[in-house]
Amino acid sequence: MIGKHVQYVVWEYDRISNDEISRSGRLEVKGDVITTGGFTITEKMFEKGADVGDSTSQNYFIEVLPLDVSAYSKKFGVSSDGLMEVEKVKSAAVVNNSKQNKANGTCICKENQFYWGNKLTCKERIKILQVCANLWGETNKVQKASELMSIMHVETATTFSPSADNGAGFSGLIQFSDASAKSVQTTRAKLKAMTFIDQMDYVEKYLSKKKDKLTTMTDLYLMVLKPNAVGQGNVAKYILFDESISVPDVPFDKDNLGKEPWVTKYGYAANPTYMAENGEFSNKRQFKTYSKGVKEKRGFAGGKTYVWEVTQILKEKHYDLGKSQIFNSVCENQPKTNTKAEGARAPWMDVAIKIAKEMKGCTEDKDPMYSKAKSYLRYCNNSFEPTDGENGPWCAAFMNWTIGQVSYSHAKSAASLAPLDAVAGKKYKEIKKPIYGCIVVYKHKTKWKGHTGFLYGMTKSGNYILLGGNQDNTIRFDNYGEYTSSSKKKKLYGFYIPIDYEIKDVDYLTDADTYATSNEINIKYGIVAGKATGKTN
């Protein structure tokens, strides 16, 4: 099929008949993965597929049509497991491409492992592979993915965040300047607001300008660091920055910071990371900068940055370290059967406890907790960082991901008040008497936010012991009363379970579920937990 063309058709599924919703143009098959820009289900499309019984939600599947060969079309998502449900909402629903491999359920991101892949979600890993395949072909995509990830490790200060900003006029995964952003028909502000996946389209567009010259990892990085030097990546003694050269004696102009000869002269002092000569980095001297007067700077007077220095640091500090961060866990997008796990009590608790034991109290700013928390947010389509206390609280994301692992009803939502929501709340039911493993919701007294966790037991003093995410920045056991903390901002609101879970007698709490403190449970499971602060975001 490589070199041939296909077309996909989006259908709204009904038991009696199906309605065509959208049809793509011709898509060339370039390899194992076909990259599409996704499609948007608008209100108009929703109404087009509406039949009796479709007033609040519809199910969709995709049919792929071969255009150049005699072959059967393939329908994806026509089983009860695979149908994609879309709620009727005021805003448009955007459906992005999601690529899984063959019928054995192995995800493409697992079959094509690259350096630093552990820092991304499945969809982000697939996007990296798609971009590298588009630029350098299927054969080279894994190696180039490792190189590109190493460069983004440098440029985002190890965060891989699309909103990364160095405070000096550069932003994004490869630190776009205003000029480079403009060259791909966007702005730095727009780039910073994008998701990782969306911004990768602009990374691809930018790198495509000189893709045939980006044969080495150093050249790939020079496309970011100093584009006019691309092609010199194999020339070890090529001079990238040279402080000894002269520049025109003109008043300060911000635009000159991106022009020659200013880039070559002032780039040396501005990039001390690549000072690899003996004693170069440790040496400090007074240097007259272009924009900020005389400042203390590292390096030698009249110093130079050579290609070999950039290559050495790039490899040792970024590429080689990425080898230990290959993704080896279970892909969150791996297809699962829809068989509900049966256990003596709420089966999702076994999953939550297992993860808590694995994390051992590691906090969200360090791995492996950082990568786990990020994956829970991405599972709920939240693109913020888990360390973002305002936009990235992940207690509900952990809760919903956990329930999803045993195939019970849940909303893919990172909102702690999802059970209270008019739409998402349909996935849960409120219960008056709490049970083991039920969802405990605390609501902020003035804002639409709160905290949520699973009920594990009670303390002798009558407090609820919750196993939850984002409790003091990790997954741990903590006890709460009417409020989560002494500030009394988040108050107990109610108890919930998945709407399709049937309570059994064994689920109710007994004396065996009573403990002196929550910390004795942390100790039992090897979770390093300091004194609880009540912090839940």
Side-chain angles (χ1 to χ4, degrees), residues 156-174:
T156 63
T158 76
T159 67
F160 297 98
S161 170
S163 61
D165 191 294
N166 74 349
F170 298 87
S171 309
L173 295 170
I174 58 171

Side-chain angles (χ1 to χ4, degrees), residues 261-324:
W262 290 271
V263 170
T264 295
K265 181 176 181 66
Y266 295 105
Y268 173 73
N271 290 279
T273 301
Y274 303 110
M275 295 177 178
E277 294 183 76
N278 187 32
E280 188 177 20
F281 180 81
S282 60
N283 188 62
K284 295 181 180 179
R285 58 353 189 309
Q286 296 298 307
F287 174 67
K288 184 179 180 182
T289 66
Y290 180 58
S291 60
K292 298 180 180 179
V294 177
K295 296 284 183 180
E296 183 178 79
K297 292 288 184 179
R298 294 184 181 275
F300 301 138
K304 299 175 177 61
T305 301
Y306 296 92
V307 160
W308 70 263
E309 294 177 289
V310 171
T311 300
Q312 177 180 307
I313 299 300
L314 185 60
K315 182 178 185 300
E316 293 178 357
K317 302 296 184 183
H318 304 283
Y319 181 80
D320 289 349
L321 294 181
K323 186 176 182 179
S324 65

Side-chain angles (χ1 to χ4, degrees), residues 151-218:
I151 287 159
M152 291 194 294
H153 185 255
V154 180
E155 294 300 289
T156 63
T158 76
T159 67
F160 297 98
S161 170
S163 61
D165 191 294
N166 74 349
F170 298 87
S171 309
L173 295 170
I174 58 171
Q175 294 294 280
F176 287 92
S177 65
D178 288 328
S180 58
K182 185 177 181 180
S183 74
V184 290
Q185 291 78 54
T186 189
T187 65
R188 281 201 302 126
K190 289 180 179 179
L191 286 166
K192 289 174 66 175
M194 293 178 187
T195 64
F196 182 99
I197 291 172
D198 289 340
Q199 194 176 122
M200 279 302 301
D201 289 331
Y202 291 89
V203 171
E204 177 181 352
K205 193 172 184 179
Y206 178 73
L207 296 178
S208 67
K209 298 172 184 290
K210 296 185 179 182
K211 66 175 183 177
D212 294 336
K213 290 186 176 182
L214 308 181
T215 55
T216 69
M217 180 168 61
T218 303

Side-chain angles (χ1 to χ4, degrees), residues 271-417:
N271 290 279
T273 301
Y274 303 110
M275 295 177 178
E277 294 183 76
N278 187 32
E280 188 177 20
F281 180 81
S282 60
N283 188 62
K284 295 181 180 179
R285 58 353 189 309
Q286 296 298 307
F287 174 67
K288 184 179 180 182
T289 66
Y290 180 58
S291 60
K292 298 180 180 179
V294 177
K295 296 284 183 180
E296 183 178 79
K297 292 288 184 179
R298 294 184 181 275
F300 301 138
K304 299 175 177 61
T305 301
Y306 296 92
V307 160
W308 70 263
E309 294 177 289
V310 171
T311 300
Q312 177 180 307
I313 299 300
L314 185 60
K315 182 178 185 300
E316 293 178 357
K317 302 296 184 183
H318 304 283
Y319 181 80
D320 289 349
L321 294 181
K323 186 176 182 179
S324 65
Q325 295 296 322
I326 287 176
F327 178 72
N328 285 314
S329 188
V330 177
C331 176
E332 67 269 24
N333 279 1
Q334 182 172 326
K336 305 181 185 70
T337 62
N338 203 32
T339 303
K340 293 179 174 60
E342 297 294 340
R345 302 176 100 180
W348 52 84
M349 289 296 283
D350 292 338
V351 178
I353 292 169
K354 179 177 182 292
I355 297 294
K357 289 166 65 177
E358 290 175 354
M359 294 302 101
K360 299 178 180 179
C362 177
T363 52
E364 64 190 23
D365 58 332
K366 306 180 186 71
D367 268 327
M369 190 68 260
Y370 168 81
S371 295
K372 284 287 189 184
K374 183 176 179 179
S375 72
Y376 303 145
L377 287 170
R378 299 302 184 269
Y379 177 80
C380 295
N381 299 310
N382 183 306
S383 61
F384 289 99
E385 291 291 302
T387 50
D388 183 337
E390 185 63 29
N391 300 300
W394 47 275
C395 59
F398 169 67
M399 176 197 75
N400 283 311
W401 175 87
T402 301
I403 295 173
Q405 303 314 293
V406 291
S407 299
Y408 276 93
S409 175
H410 64 289
K412 284 193 174 182
S413 170
S416 55
L417 302 186

Side-chain angles (χ1 to χ4, degrees), residues 8 27 34-39 95-99 127 130 201:
Y8 69 79
L27 301 172
I34 301 174
T35 304
T36 73
F39 56 89
V95 182
N96 289 315
N97 51 302
S98 177
K99 300 293 179 281
K127 184 64 175 181
Q130 290 172 345
D201 289 331

Side-chain angles (χ1 to χ4, degrees), residues 58-189:
Q58 292 177 1
N59 292 306
Y60 297 84
F61 67 88
I62 298 173
E63 182 178 18
V64 177
L65 305 173
L67 299 181
D68 303 327
V69 296
S70 297
Y72 292 107
S73 64
K74 178 67 176 177
K75 298 179 181 180
F76 298 95
V78 290
S79 69
S80 60
D81 281 354
L83 286 171
M84 178 193 68
E85 183 177 7
V86 175
E87 300 282 352
K88 184 177 182 180
V89 290
K90 292 182 179 179
S91 58
V94 179
V95 182
N96 289 315
N97 51 302
S98 177
K99 300 293 179 281
Q100 297 294 331
N101 203 9
K102 311 170 188 74
N104 62 13
T106 302
C107 185
I108 289 170
C109 80
K110 285 284 287 182
E111 286 199 341
N112 298 275
Q113 296 180 338
F114 52 86
Y115 290 12
W116 296 112
N118 197 40
K119 296 293 186 179
L120 306 180
T121 66
C122 170
K123 290 181 180 179
E124 290 169 345
R125 287 189 291 273
I126 290 174
K127 184 64 175 181
I128 287 283
L129 290 167
Q130 290 172 345
V131 167
C132 291
N134 291 343
L135 291 171
W136 299 291
E138 286 290 318
T139 304
N140 301 312
K141 69 181 180 184
V142 174
Q143 175 58 35
K144 300 308 284 188
S146 292
E147 294 176 4
L148 181 54
M149 286 293 289
S150 300
I151 287 159
M152 291 194 294
H153 185 255
V154 180
E155 294 300 289
T156 63
T158 76
T159 67
F160 297 98
S161 170
S163 61
D165 191 294
N166 74 349
F170 298 87
S171 309
L173 295 170
I174 58 171
Q175 294 294 280
F176 287 92
S177 65
D178 288 328
S180 58
K182 185 177 181 180
S183 74
V184 290
Q185 291 78 54
T186 189
T187 65
R188 281 201 302 126

